[in-house]
Amino acid sequence: MDLAPLNIPYLWVVGLSMAAALMFLAAGRALSRRKPRILTVPSKPAPDAHSLLDGLLASALGGVIVLRAVRDPSREIIDFEIRMTNPAAEQLVGRCGQHMMGASLLSLLPCVRASGLFEDALTVVTSGLPFRADRYIRQTETWYQIAAVRHGDGLVVTFADINHRKSTEEQLRHAAEHDALTALPNRKHFTEHLEQAIHRARRSPAYRFAVLFLDFDRFKIINDSLGHEAGDQLLINIAQRLTTNLRSVDTASHGRTAGHLPARLGGDEFVVLLDGIGSEDAAAAAARRLLDAFAKPHRIAGHEVVSTASIGIVLFDPRYTQADEMLRDADTAMYQAKSDGKARFVIFDEAMHQAIVDRLALERELRQAVADCAFELYYEPIVALDDGKLAGFEALIRWPHPTRGLIMPDQFITLAEELGLIPDIGRWVIQTAARQWRAWRNAHPNMQHCTIGVNLSRHQLFDPTLLDTVRDAIAESELPPGALRIEVTESVVMTDMDHMSRVLTDLKSLGVQLAMDDFGTGHSSLHCLHRLPLDVLKIDRSFISRESPRNKHYSAIVHAIMALAHNLHMQVVAEGVETADQLSMLQALTCNFAQGYHLSRPLPPDQAERLFQTTCPLPAPPAPPASTGRASSYTARPKPSAILPS
């Protein structure tokens, strides 16, 4: 063996370790030969099994009873003999041990048979399976937790009073299923009962019921004006009246007393399950009684306030399988009652059902149309009133539905807003209008002066991507400054003046024109015009439609709007021009531009493009009228024909 690679210090360590091990081994052998010294410790005698069992039973917090089966000659168990108890069992039963030992269980505690526990005990003895349950003993009005196991030809039963636990559980359950303010059942509790009623009605055709959906008119006004504490008190009063006026009625088909269930869904929305109501007349009678009760004033915070109810009613129909379906239809009927004038009830009918089906179908189709960009833009010409030349277009969206035909925006824009689809639709409109303008510009260089206008809704003006959308559309289509006109309605601007002012200023910085549409229909807007970077005022068609030689007052209003706009360096567009008289009036008042069916209806792109080759000058404007000190007037001229071909 070659030892050259080994390290010498390493060999020393190994050697010392081996020597130490041999020394310890030798010492161990020496000690093993010595006689061991034994230390003894006095010990207490081990307890016997009986004393240990007595201690366990005495210290147990629950009651323990050992039973032996008592059988008749046929070996059937007819009773149990009490063989052993503990102090806790004696305290719970209310008997001392000497009276319990050897006693008959059924004689001592007859509630065992009345509560069904005797049958449970027989099952444990015969099957050998353990038993455990919470049982309410009506005779003692106490909840017990009971467990039993077989022991020989008998049982060992343990039981404990759990009234406190059950009370706590009941409080927690009540809190989970009831409204904290009014103590009425909440939506969860009501929905569970409604589901049970639906299942029962589907199993038993003779059983019927109805659901009332209540919403309280003017509650928000009362809440906002008198404070939330007053609003809470009003809700409490409503709950009390609701409960008081829902008297139980006898259900003839079942010969029992029906229990109506009121509940609060949230806010000022309440519902009622009318148990056993099978006809519209009975449901209507209940609704009238509630309407009468809620028509009376409430005395709250020193004020007399009235909050009437609008009620929607739906009766059970076999087509209902879920609680949400009935609540949905009752809610629909309630909104119909509100739209019909409030403080009334409406019974849900097949027409409302069909309207819901149609709306759901329209929602589905609208979502698909947005995904497929299945819309079209029509273009309404805007004409300069000094020479009759085309000045631009307003882009108007249309939805060419495969079965419903061409759908106008007033039939789907509100729905699109509810569904959150407006940002996508608005983005498509801006991009499509800008691309159309670029296509027309490339084909007709003489239309460079024309503008293309698009309308923005309130939802778009709160869309954080709006500026990027407009900026990208301008860059992609190479629109010159001012060729794109953004139109917003007066009512939208007035909803949040500070925010709208910031958004319009940001849009203006992109070089677009800004127009206020439907001017004159809002309120308190004159003092705000100087805060907005507007280029154009569009006079609402309601003013133009009233223009006539016999209505000088509206002529004065239109003249005042035009004077205001011109003084603020804005141009004026009159909307809804439908007659030659209206057109002549606007010419006399030096209105800049006009649009309307008298000039041209909105046109699809190919027909709108033909207008670039059309030059149809307007008749010369009438001479300015002499000042009368009251309202502007004009001299009627012969009615000109439509300016642009349709």
Side-chain angles (χ1 to χ4, degrees), residues 24 89 106 109 158 201 227 291 310 325 333 343 370 383 437 471 518 520 548:
F24 279 113
L106 294 180
L109 298 172
T158 61
L291 288 176
S310 296
E325 297 171 353
V370 172
V383 176
W437 188 94
R471 185 185 295 109
D518 299 338
S548 72

Side-chain angles (χ1 to χ4, degrees), residues 51-177:
S51 61
L52 179 60
L53 180 59
D54 290 341
L56 290 174
L57 291 176
S59 62
L61 297 178
V64 180
I65 297 180
V66 179
L67 304 173
R68 183 177 65 84
V70 177
R71 299 176 181 270
D72 62 10
S74 63
R75 301 299 296 168
E76 294 290 332
I77 299 177
I78 58 174
D79 201 348
F80 288 94
E81 178 188 357
I82 300 176
R83 304 291 293 170
M84 184 182 296
T85 64
N86 72 334
E90 297 166 9
Q91 183 178 4
L92 288 170
V93 174
R95 302 290 180 89
C96 62
Q98 62 182 358
H99 291 104
M100 295 182 66
M101 295 297 293
S104 162
L105 178 66
L106 294 180
S107 299
L108 185 65
L109 298 172
C111 61
V112 170
R113 185 182 292 278
S115 62
L117 285 173
F118 185 75
E119 286 74 15
D120 296 327
L122 294 179
T123 301
V124 174
V125 174
T126 56
S127 68
L129 297 176
F131 167 80
R132 180 169 182 168
D134 294 347
R135 287 294 177 84
Y136 180 73
I137 307 301
R138 188 176 303 277
Q139 290 79 0
T140 61
E141 298 183 347
T142 305
W143 276 96
Y144 292 98
Q145 184 179 63
I146 302 172
V149 294
R150 185 170 67 184
H151 175 65
D153 193 28
L155 300 169
V156 176
V157 181
T158 61
F159 58 102
D161 183 339
I162 57 171
N163 259 352
H164 179 71
R165 193 193 82 187
K166 284 293 184 180
S167 176
T168 302
E169 291 176 354
E170 176 61 23
Q171 292 174 8
L172 293 175
R173 186 193 62 79
H174 187 277
E177 296 183 348

Side-chain angles (χ1 to χ4, degrees), residues 385 548-549 579-589 598 617-625 633-641:
L385 293 186
S548 72
T579 67
D581 283 341
Q582 294 168 3
L583 187 64
S584 297
M585 171 74 78
L586 294 170
Q587 286 182 288
L589 297 176
H598 181 67
L618 296 170
S633 60
Y634 69 101
T635 303
R637 300 177 61 87
K639 297 182 180 181
S641 60

